[in-house]
Amino acid sequence: MHFQYNLYFVILSVTVIISTTVAFAAWQRRSICLASKPFILMMLAIAGYATVAAMEAAAILLREKIFWSKLEYVGSGSVITLFLIFAMQFTNKNRWLTPRNTTLLWAIPTFNVILVATNEWHGLVWSGFLPDPKGTNFVIYQHNLGFFWIMACVYLYTLTGVVMLIQKALVPSVLSRRQSSMALAGAVLPILGASLYMLRLTPPGLNITPMSFMLAGLFYFVSLFRFRMFDLVPVARDTLIENLSDGVLVLDAKNRIIDFNPALKHLIGVKKQHIGQPAAQVLAKWPEIIRLYHTHESVKTEIFIDSVTPCYVELLITSLHNKRKQLTGRLLVLRDITQRYQAESELRQANEYLQKQVLEIQTLQVQLREQAIRDGLTGLFNRRYFDEIFPKELIRATRDSEPVALIIMDIDYFKNVNDTFGHQAGDRVIQVFADLLRYYSDSDSQNIACRYGGEEFVLALPGLTQEKAFQHAEHIRLSFQAARLESRGKEIYTTVSGGVAVFPDHGKTTDELLQVVDQALYAAKLDGRNCIKCVQSN
């Protein structure tokens, strides 16, 4: 090999060093970002491309220059392919990188390398070679259609990657815009260099494309070490923020909007032009949100949003601080809970309905209980209730050493009333007498008034002696005697007879008391009715 070292060789050698250094720096951060791996390979490919270009610039013999020039196309094809793969992964489009698509991406550069390697057979890439008129060791390559095909592929790959970076730079995220703009600026330089070379605006025989890649490498070097391009992972943001179903809004320390995701746009209509504007201005329709994010504490609440789509949202506001505990911004997360709210509302309504049903059932149970223990005609307790409650009352009286008076009263000649005036009139007589019992019994809640059967009534009076019970019965008898009822224009005159006994003097069980009181009632009937008889003590 014959070489003549020159300035171009030195510049391209520096390109190799810079590209290798940037690749090593990215390799140290390879675990931070998925896109750093194709970036490392791209920078190594640039280093290889520049190495071969440096050898071509220093070579003297034509055959050696052609040899190194052919190898340059291996480097350039690798660089553009790896750049496109890097752009896909950096913009979170790595789902396109299936094994089939990756093979197709490498197929065109591979074909171009074969086209260049076989130029001697067809002359499609270079039709001839001219020496430099200035007498240097440079060679002017006369290009044919194959060269322009190869350059079209370079532009296709590079511009596709650039379009992806432009799209990424237009998203609302400040971080994504900054990082994508850095990657985009670095990609523009090689395009510019290749265009100058193809338009013959460079010195004769000098391909500045590898040098433009050196400038891109320098730009990426600064981005890596000063702006820490791969430390702020855009892929992670796309995964966690862009595709998040919850609306995310990021404010700076002055409560200006610096970032949001598509879900927030759907919820409250925030747009790209709102970036940098005060949140109080953009969120003026929702003063409750503005009031909440002004607090320094974290807030979690539920509010109604009447915006693009009216909905209920769960609002979570978190204050962001740096290592010095200084406020750097706020993170607002809005989660659509409309379905949950509706489900909870339906559940509350169902619970209220069930509670209402339970209350109705309880009311019905009380009513059924009342119907079971009440007489339907008079509303007084019935015999079933008396048989259930009176023994318990005797047990209580025994425990408290208190007397219990028992009165049985029977309407005199009631059959005659029915026969003379009819059953409706008889029912009315029974109701009037029941009202008197209720009136004279309600003065003490412990008194028990029952319709024992037909025209016979029982009255239990806890705590009353026989004398008091007799007086009580007399009041009822006299009041009933004074009552006047009419039926069909005729006056109904009725009276009542009764018997009185006291627990425990006249009996210690329900049956014993009922038996002696019934005997006293029978005595009152024999004595002409309309009177009260007391059981005589032994």
Side-chain angles (χ1 to χ4, degrees), residues 317-368:
I317 302 177
T318 304
S319 299
L320 306 176
H321 302 84
N322 58 20
K323 294 181 179 179
R324 297 180 180 179
K325 307 299 182 182
Q326 296 173 329
L327 181 69
T328 58
R330 292 177 176 84
L331 176 66
L332 283 70
V333 180
L334 287 78
R335 173 171 296 175
D336 188 346
I337 59 169
T338 303
Q339 291 184 350
R340 191 191 80 186
Y341 186 89
Q342 291 175 345
E344 291 177 350
S345 178
E346 291 174 359
L347 182 60
R348 284 194 297 269
Q349 292 177 359
N351 285 336
E352 291 174 358
Y353 176 76
L354 288 175
Q355 290 177 358
K356 183 179 179 180
Q357 291 292 97
V358 170
L359 183 60
E360 290 179 357
I361 291 173
Q362 290 175 344
T363 303
L364 289 174
Q365 288 176 338
V366 171
Q367 292 175 353
L368 289 174

Side-chain angles (χ1 to χ4, degrees), residues 523-538:
K525 294 286 186 180
L526 292 178
D527 199 26
R529 293 180 171 80
N530 193 22
C531 63
I532 305 297
K533 296 294 183 178
C534 293
V535 176
Q536 300 298 320
S537 300
N538 295 329

Side-chain angles (χ1 to χ4, degrees), residues 165-371:
L165 294 174
I166 291 174
Q167 291 175 340
K168 187 69 173 180
L170 295 177
V171 301
S173 169
V174 175
L175 298 180
S176 293
R177 288 207 311 270
R178 185 174 67 177
Q179 294 177 42
S180 299
S181 298
M182 291 177 184
L184 184 60
V188 169
L189 297 174
I191 295 176
L192 181 61
S195 300
L196 292 174
Y197 175 68
M198 189 175 66
L199 296 173
R200 299 184 182 276
L201 299 177
T202 60
L206 176 62
N207 183 2
I208 67 171
T209 304
M211 301 177 194
S212 62
F213 275 113
M214 178 198 69
L215 295 177
L218 278 172
F219 189 87
Y220 287 135
F221 182 85
V222 174
S223 299
L224 281 171
F225 285 97
R226 182 170 182 177
F227 299 107
R228 305 180 70 85
M229 184 167 64
F230 289 128
D231 288 357
L232 302 173
V233 188
V235 175
R237 185 197 180 278
D238 286 340
T239 303
L240 298 176
I241 305 299
E242 289 295 307
N243 298 324
L244 198 64
S245 60
D246 297 342
V248 177
L249 178 65
V250 183
L251 309 180
D252 63 10
K254 295 183 179 180
N255 294 320
R256 294 174 298 191
I257 296 176
I258 61 173
D259 199 4
F260 66 90
N261 68 345
L264 187 78
K265 179 180 178 181
H266 175 73
L267 281 173
I268 60 177
V270 176
K271 301 178 181 179
K272 294 179 182 178
Q273 55 265 35
H274 292 147
I275 294 292
Q277 295 183 9
Q281 176 181 331
V282 178
L283 305 177
K285 290 176 61 178
W286 304 283
E288 185 176 2
I289 298 180
I290 300 173
R291 178 181 60 81
L292 290 172
Y293 73 63
H294 275 99
T295 62
H296 291 284
E297 300 296 329
S298 296
V299 177
K300 185 176 182 181
T301 185
E302 295 179 2
I303 60 175
F304 177 73
I305 295 291
D306 186 9
S307 182
V308 180
T309 303
C311 60
Y312 290 90
V313 298
E314 180 182 79
L315 173 63
L316 176 63
I317 302 177
T318 304
S319 299
L320 306 176
H321 302 84
N322 58 20
K323 294 181 179 179
R324 297 180 180 179
K325 307 299 182 182
Q326 296 173 329
L327 181 69
T328 58
R330 292 177 176 84
L331 176 66
L332 283 70
V333 180
L334 287 78
R335 173 171 296 175
D336 188 346
I337 59 169
T338 303
Q339 291 184 350
R340 191 191 80 186
Y341 186 89
Q342 291 175 345
E344 291 177 350
S345 178
E346 291 174 359
L347 182 60
R348 284 194 297 269
Q349 292 177 359
N351 285 336
E352 291 174 358
Y353 176 76
L354 288 175
Q355 290 177 358
K356 183 179 179 180
Q357 291 292 97
V358 170
L359 183 60
E360 290 179 357
I361 291 173
Q362 290 175 344
T363 303
L364 289 174
Q365 288 176 338
V366 171
Q367 292 175 353
L368 289 174
R369 169 66 177 166
E370 285 292 307
Q371 291 175 3

